[in-house]
Amino acid sequence: MPNVTEITEKQQSFEEFVATHKPQLEVSGVPGIHYHTLYTKLKDEIFDAGQTFTIQQMEFEDEENEEPSYSWSVVVSDEDGVDVTDEKHIYLIDHAWTYRVQNARSQLEQVPGLVERMAALMDIQDQNKDKASLVEEVLTHMWRYNQTYNLGHLQHGSDEAMPIWYIMDEFGSRVQHSDSPTCRMVPFLYIPEQVTFTIMWPIQTMGEGDEVTRNYIELGITDPLERKSRLLPWIPADLSEISYKQVEPGKEYFEAYRMNERLPSVDKEFPELPTDRKIKVFTDIGLVENFLTDARFEMTATPEDADVLWLKVTYKDYTTLSKDMPGKRINQFPFETVLTVKDLLAIVSRRAKKIRK
């Protein structure tokens, strides 16, 4: 595979594009017939969805509110329609706003024109509203428009794997949900420019006037109640008859998390850490290696030489650790998943509450 640095310094060939982006293309399910068109559009930054589709706005009178309400849709405007087998029908959609959650407010306050554009995209009436009020409304409504993807790798530390949030442009944000969608839309990182777009392609043949739709919850979720719950931001539903009482799951639920860990020996004496030299630390976490700079510690390349093991991977064999290396410390303890796995932590917390009662 070509080196990423080399790719950014010269024009990619089609073969290099496929080799570099193949993991993304395959995971996203992009049909192979669209690869060359996608390559050309990314390379030349061709945003031509407007030649095939159009945005429609419908206005509704609401007797309870003086302000009219709006409904949006995207439909096929090309009289030839959209053939699912035609290689040309893959489209780039720009991202109007990309951010980390902790920076959202400051960007809306400081980036010229951003809060006004987001308000218009979200149909927020901005007449007679100061900027501070507009920022609050955008922060409240943006979750109906937000999309997310992760960049980086977990082995580089949690910060690099934090989600990146984005809102598609006015075209992408107007595409509505359907349980039987006509298109797929997925984020796609174009490596030569280090820019992420959304790409859209048809999964059904559409005629002129047919609506472009996508599935808002592409997570393989088939349970009707869960789908209805996840779609609440966009499709109101009455769930008042659904019991919110938590039920203790069965044995199978807990066994799914079990890792067959071996407990440490209780017969061993565990010596104190050395005080006549630096404490040696072995880690597989980049952030620890880069930022553990206190003079009391030094990094070592092998776990055998370490006094402290600070690991990202789950450690299981505490028996061997306690017998063969009783002086080593580790940043984990047996069966800690009851606290580190959110579902199990919730169950433990409920049990603790019952005990206190």
Side-chain angles (χ1 to χ4, degrees):
M1 180 180 293
N3 181 276
V4 173
T5 303
E6 294 174 353
I7 290 169
T8 58
E9 293 176 350
K10 66 182 181 65
Q11 187 70 59
Q12 260 192 316
S13 68
F14 172 66
E15 291 73 19
E16 289 173 326
F17 167 79
V18 173
T20 307
H21 297 87
K22 195 164 188 179
Q24 284 190 83
L25 293 165
E26 291 180 344
V27 168
S28 299
V30 180
I33 61 170
H34 296 313
Y35 285 6
H36 204 283
T37 302
L38 178 61
Y39 161 71
T40 301
K41 290 186 176 183
L42 286 166
K43 176 173 63 73
D44 299 332
E45 294 189 9
I46 299 173
F47 296 88
D48 60 346
Q51 298 178 16
T52 306
F53 310 99
T54 190
I55 301 173
Q56 291 184 343
Q57 181 190 56
M58 291 169 284
E59 182 176 319
F60 299 93
E61 295 287 341
D62 191 339
E63 295 180 357
E64 297 182 0
N65 299 308
E66 294 182 3
E67 296 290 341
S69 58
Y70 301 96
S71 174
W72 296 91
S73 64
V74 175
V75 299
V76 177
S77 57
D78 190 331
E79 63 182 11
D80 294 328
V82 174
D83 188 341
V84 74
T85 63
D86 191 333
E87 66 180 22
K88 72 179 181 181
H89 288 304
I90 189 166
Y91 300 91
L92 301 186
I93 299 171
D94 206 0
H95 295 172
W97 183 24
T98 302
Y99 64 94
R100 292 283 181 93
V101 170
Q102 63 268 29
N103 301 327
R105 180 181 296 274
S106 61
Q107 288 186 9
L108 289 170
E109 292 172 343
Q110 298 171 17
V111 177
L114 178 60
V115 69
E116 291 80 7
R117 182 180 182 184
M118 290 298 105
L121 186 149
M122 299 174 191
D123 294 322
I124 298 171
Q125 301 299 317
D126 60 356
Q127 293 92 342
N128 303 318
K129 291 180 181 175
D130 58 27
K131 188 169 185 176
S133 299
L134 211 53
V135 167
E136 293 302 327
E137 286 211 48
V138 169
L139 289 171
T140 298
H141 289 87
M142 68 183 186
W143 301 104
R144 297 181 66 244
Y145 300 86
N146 271 332
Q147 313 292 317
T148 187
Y149 59 87
N150 291 327
L151 282 181
H153 303 280
L154 289 175
Q155 64 261 35
H156 293 159
S158 59
D159 285 344
E160 289 191 45
M162 288 287 285
I164 304 294
W165 295 89
Y166 67 95
I167 291 178
M168 290 184 286
D169 65 12
E170 288 73 7
F171 175 86
S173 294
R174 305 306 189 202
V175 175
Q176 301 301 311
H177 167 78
S178 173
D179 288 335
S180 301
T182 55
C183 290
R184 284 203 68 207
M185 296 167 65
V186 298
F188 189 87
L189 173 63
Y190 184 44
I191 293 175
E193 301 296 333
Q194 291 294 291
V195 176
T196 301
F197 302 97
T198 289
I199 56 176
M200 180 183 83
W201 70 93
I203 55 176
Q204 296 183 35
T205 294
M206 294 176 281
E208 183 180 11
D210 287 346
E211 184 175 3
V212 175
T213 56
R214 66 184 181 93
N215 186 353
Y216 282 3
I217 48 173
E218 280 195 335
L219 300 172
I221 296 170
T222 57
D223 179 70
L225 178 58
E226 186 173 356
R227 288 187 64 83
K228 187 181 292 186
S229 301
R230 288 180 177 269
L231 285 168
L232 279 174
W234 307 280
I235 303 175
D238 183 4
L239 301 179
S240 59
E241 298 300 319
I242 306 299
S243 173
Y244 58 85
K245 183 179 179 181
Q246 295 290 335
V247 179
E248 188 83 357
K251 179 180 178 182
E252 299 78 11
Y253 186 86
F254 298 97
E255 289 179 339
Y257 291 102
R258 185 166 179 173
M259 296 185 179
N260 295 320
E261 299 173 17
R262 300 177 66 203
L263 294 174
S265 172
V266 296
D267 300 326
K268 281 282 185 180
E269 291 187 7
F270 300 98
E272 297 294 326
L273 287 170
T275 57
D276 57 345
R277 61 171 175 79
K278 291 184 177 182
I279 296 172
K280 297 180 179 181
V281 179
F282 172 81
T283 184
D284 59 358
I285 302 174
L287 287 176
V288 176
E289 185 172 4
N290 293 333
F291 294 102
L292 183 59
T293 57
D294 191 288
R296 294 173 296 173
F297 304 95
E298 65 176 332
M299 307 305 298
T300 181
T302 61
E304 291 77 16
D305 295 333
D307 302 304
V308 175
L309 305 176
W310 200 276
L311 306 177
K312 174 174 66 66
V313 296
T314 301
Y315 197 86
K316 300 177 184 179
D317 191 2
Y318 293 94
T319 302
T320 300
L321 181 69
S322 64
K323 288 183 176 180
D324 298 346
M325 298 174 284
K328 295 190 190 301
R329 270 55 173 179
I330 190 168
N331 65 318
Q332 302 176 28
F333 56 87
F335 304 108
E336 65 175 21
T337 50
V338 297
L339 298 179
T340 59
V341 175
K342 296 182 180 68
D343 295 355
L344 299 184
L345 176 60
I347 294 169
V348 170
S349 300
R350 289 200 299 269
R351 288 177 175 178
K353 184 178 180 181
K354 289 180 181 178
I355 292 172
R356 285 199 301 272
K357 287 183 176 180

